[in-house]
């Protein structure tokens, strides 16, 4: 390659499109569709058939169009079909259920995402103690947000695929990335981290995480940083972590292999709540957007089990999601208390369906880095193998929601359940003979697990999924249901749909604990649970 | 739809992609996929030919709508990327004719803007310098250089896009390479 070619390759790229380019383009495409439809209708009404359609009257066309439109809207509300993303780009009357349905559809349609994540947070304070007769609501009514939300760290860069691969390049404390308008007017992160780790000694101090659900390999490395075990800070020995056999999904994997949305606070369970919310128009990064918001119950706030003071969780009374109108992709998630922002996580510099290579998600450590390897014990197997690994037959759904397909199966003789005790300290409980089956629809996922019930009836497992305080379901978000069909017919199951945690259901049956959890609505959870049959 | 081993109705993504969706959805999907695959290169071509991001965006809006409008007529005789490239090139040339493109930089101006490459470690400075050097080429020569030297097209495919014989492409590339090398103070070694 000559110097000219090298320069063209390295520096010949053009700037990104101006904000709003794609939105404008899809509006132009919509206009083109409308023009073609009008042209066709004109030909038909004027008695000039185009050779492929027969003549119809305007009245019949209008009636047919109205019926089709009504069915399309109903179909999106009741059961989001895969054609919904583009067809309903500009609903005449913005309806939260329609927007949420389109968001779900968008999340099943795209195959990759590349984006910069910017998070900010504000502190919440309230009375030091409960007065007699107070409830959590009373405490939160007196709580207040301390000042505006401030950035939490610097922007992080994520890449994710619908196949369960995730790469997260995030600044380590003290890193100096800057984010803002670039010299050509685009908004950009000015210090990009090269994909190659060959330059590890020179790259900015960031951490690089990779995860792959299909292989169970997770890695973490902070190039250029050195970790001191003596001081507990980055100082001396360079360190990297490589985890194999990572769990597939919740309840085993919380905090391990998380989806990018979970990692960055984009909780899909919030969508169910938001479907009952309100919609307003907005502009985001210069593009038309919609904001869907809904009021929620904050809390709980409880006296600390040890010492004095109050512990409070779910410190918000409203959640909002901002949706890019052209793609229906969720780009911002915000929680608020008394109208003030508490947590804010937003995506920018987004590329959807941009090509990615497997190398991006392959752990790579420089020579000389001390890699600490561990195996969490979940071995990827075929679904056939999963059916016969242990002395029980795991359960699998016989009905899948639209667009979902099998992604991976994993088995583990042992795992650890992380639980929180009384909304306080975390504890780990051993779990045995686990079979996990993972299903995907684009960026949406759910996991079905079957395991021995041994040790799982511990009272600390009142909710086996409540591993983080903010993920705890409030009493009105929990219910007991009796399953009506399938292998668990007649079994009482517990169902929880916490505002930010993963929607989930669990039941004990025949010496086993069965769980279903993921990006599902309450009805979908029940449908799957009612369809569980022995895996063949 | 594939019946799975456990009896579930499993939709395989590969099958899903092969399904025959509605014509409109199919056209949207095809266009979106083509954009995802080619937009970087189309932007580079339009940006360097037209000289500004605004003009680049204007032209690419026109290109994508044209492509969408005529998607049914795409016969598959070339790749969709090549087809898009050709639409982009001709639309850029039309745009330049309409706008009466500003005069290219003079050799004196290029000379003034020519610090040694080795002394520049700032990506932005190199990028600007390269952009200026490309802008100094004629649009036809600039397009040939980008197609062959940057995007790796062979002369035959580039000729199809540019609507000229392969020999003309080779000539444009050779002259363009020399002109760029002179502007950027770099060598011209390397075969074609």
């Amino acid at each position: 390659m000559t110097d000219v070619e090298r320069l063209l390759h390295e520096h010949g790229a053009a700037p990104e499109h101006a904000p709003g380019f794609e939105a404008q383009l899809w509006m132009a495409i919509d206009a083109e569709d409308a023009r073609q439809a009008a042209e066709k209708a004109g030909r038909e009404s004027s008695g000039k058939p185009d050779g492929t359609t027969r003549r119809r009257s305007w009245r019949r066309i209008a009636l047919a169009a109205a019926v089709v439109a009504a069915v399309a809207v109903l179909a999106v509300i009741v059961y989001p079909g895969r054609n919904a993303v583009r067809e309903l780009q500009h609903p005449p009357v913005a309806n939260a259920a329609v927007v949420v349905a389109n968001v779900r559809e968008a999340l099943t349609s795209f195959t990759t995402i590349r984006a910069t994540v910017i998070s900010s947070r504000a502190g919440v304070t309230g009375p030091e103690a409960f007065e007699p007769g107070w409830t959590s609501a009373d405490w939160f009514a007196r709580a207040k947000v301390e000042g505006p939300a401030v950035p939490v760290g610097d922007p992080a860069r994520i890449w994710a695929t619908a196949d369960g691969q995730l790469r997260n390049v995030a600044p380590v404390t003290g890193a100096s990335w800057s984010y803002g308008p670039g010299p050509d007017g685009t908004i950009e992160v000015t210090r990009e981290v090269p994909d190659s780790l060959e330059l590890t000694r020179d790259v900015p101090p960031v951490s690089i995480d990779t995860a792959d659900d299909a292989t169970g390999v997770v890695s973490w490395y902070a190039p250029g940083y050195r970790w001191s075990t003596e001081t507990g800070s980055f100082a001396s020995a360079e360190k990297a972590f490589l985890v194999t056999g990572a769990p597939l999904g919740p309840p085993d994997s919380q905090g391990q292999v998380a989806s990018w949305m979970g990692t960055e606070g984009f909780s899909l369970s919030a969508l169910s709540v938001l479907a009952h919310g309100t919609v307003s128009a907005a502009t985001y990064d210069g593009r038309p957007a919609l904001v869907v918001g809904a009021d929620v119950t904050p809390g709980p706030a409880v006296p600390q089990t040890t010492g004095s003071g109050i512990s409070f969780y779910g410190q918000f009374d409203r959640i909002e999601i901002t949706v890019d109108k052209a793609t229906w992709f969720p780009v911002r998630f915000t929680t608020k208390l008394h109208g003030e922002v508490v947590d804010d996580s937003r995506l920018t510099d987004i590329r959807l369906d941009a090509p990615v290579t497997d190398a991006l998600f392959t752990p790579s450590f420089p020579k000389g880095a001390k890699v600490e390897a561990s195996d969490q014990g979940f071995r990827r197997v075929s679904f056939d193998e999963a059916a016969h690994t242990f002395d029980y037959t795991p359960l699998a759904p016989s009905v899948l929601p639209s667009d979902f397909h099998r992604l991976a199966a994993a088995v583990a003789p042992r795992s650890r359940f992380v639980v929180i005790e009384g909304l306080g300290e975390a504890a780990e409980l051993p779990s045995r003979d686990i079979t996990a089956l993972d299903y995907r629809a684009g960026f949406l996922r759910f996991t079905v697990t079957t395991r021995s019930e041994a040790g799982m009836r511990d009272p600390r497992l009142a909710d086996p999924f409540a591993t983080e305080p903010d993920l705890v379901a409030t009493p009105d978000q929990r219910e007991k249901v009796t399953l009506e069909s399938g292998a668990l017919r007649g079994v009482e199951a517990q169902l929880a749909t916490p505002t930010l945690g993963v929607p989930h259901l669990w039941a004990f049956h025949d010496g086993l604990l069965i769980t279903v959890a993921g990006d599902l609505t309450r009805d979908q959870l029940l449908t799957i649970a009612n369809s569980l049959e022995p895996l063949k | 739809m594939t019946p799975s081993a456990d009896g579930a109705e499993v939709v395989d993504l590969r099958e899903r992609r092969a399904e025959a969706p509605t014509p409109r959805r199919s056209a949207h999907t095809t266009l979106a996929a083509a954009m995802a695959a080619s937009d970087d290169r189309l932007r580079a071509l339009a940006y360097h030919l037209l000289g500004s991001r605004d003009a680049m965006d204007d032209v690419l809006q026109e290109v994508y709508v044209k492509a969408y409008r005529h998607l049914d007529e795409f016969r598959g005789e070339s790749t969709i990327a090549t087809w898009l490239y050709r639409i982009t090139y001709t639309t850029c040339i039309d745009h330049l004719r309409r706008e009466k493109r500003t005069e290219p930089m003079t050799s004196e101006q290029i000379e003034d803007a020519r610090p040694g490459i080795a002394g520049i470690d700032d990506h932005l400075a190199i990028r600007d310098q390269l952009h200026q050097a490309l802008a100094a080429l004629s649009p036809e020569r600039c397009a040939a250089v980008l197609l062959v030297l940057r995007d790796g097209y062979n002369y035959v495919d580039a000729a199809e896009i540019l609507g000229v014989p392969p020999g003309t492409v080779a000539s444009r590339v050779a002259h363009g390479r020399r002109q760029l090398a002179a502007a950027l103070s770099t060598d011209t070694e390397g075969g074609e």
Side-chain angles (χ1 to χ4, degrees), chain A residues 2 39 41 58 113 127 161 173 242 273 276 297 299-300 343 355 373 384 438 489 509-510:
Chain A
T2 67
E39 229 172 48
W58 267 108
I113 179 173
T161 74
T173 304
L242 180 68
V273 177
H276 304 286
T297 305
D343 270 301
D384 286 344
D438 203 28
R489 183 178 179 183
H509 177 59
D510 203 16

Side-chain angles (χ1 to χ4, degrees), chain A residues 30 65-66 68-74 76-77 84-96 98-99 102 279-281 289-290 325 328, chain B residues 24:
Chain A
D30 280 352
V68 168
V71 169
V73 170
L74 279 174
V76 168
I77 294 170
V85 175
R86 303 293 181 210
E87 273 68 2
L88 285 173
Q89 280 182 51
H90 313 293
V93 178
N95 174 304
V98 173
V99 176
N102 280 300
V279 183
S280 58
L290 296 171
K325 208 170 167 183
W328 293 110
Chain B
R24 188 175 178 219

Side-chain angles (χ1 to χ4, degrees), chain A residues 38 63 95 130 214 323 386 397 403 406 443 447-448 468 483 497 514:
Chain A
L63 181 62
N95 174 304
F130 270 46
V323 179
D403 291 337
R406 290 172 163 185
F443 288 113
T447 308
V448 177
E468 296 286 341
L483 299 175
T497 51
I514 299 100

Side-chain angles (χ1 to χ4, degrees), chain A residues 68-129:
Chain A
V68 168
V71 169
V73 170
L74 279 174
V76 168
I77 294 170
V78 177
Y79 199 73
R82 68 169 63 97
N83 292 338
V85 175
R86 303 293 181 210
E87 273 68 2
L88 285 173
Q89 280 182 51
H90 313 293
V93 178
N95 174 304
V98 173
V99 176
V100 166
N102 280 300
V103 169
R104 281 189 184 278
E105 170 65 15
L107 289 167
T108 67
S109 300
F110 291 106
T111 55
T112 68
I113 179 173
R114 191 181 84 193
T116 300
V117 183
I118 302 165
S119 301
S120 53
R121 185 173 300 158
V124 174
T125 57
E128 285 292 317

Side-chain angles (χ1 to χ4, degrees), chain A residues 511-532:
Chain A
L512 301 170
L513 168 63
I514 299 100
T515 68
V516 182
D519 302 319
L520 302 167
T521 63
R522 175 188 175 279
D523 290 348
Q524 286 174 326
L525 267 176
L526 279 175
T527 302
I528 292 168
N530 279 316
S531 81
L532 292 173

Side-chain angles (χ1 to χ4, degrees), chain A residues 57-68:
Chain A
S57 72
W58 267 108
R59 182 171 296 180
R60 288 178 62 187
I61 291 167
L63 181 62
V67 170
V68 168

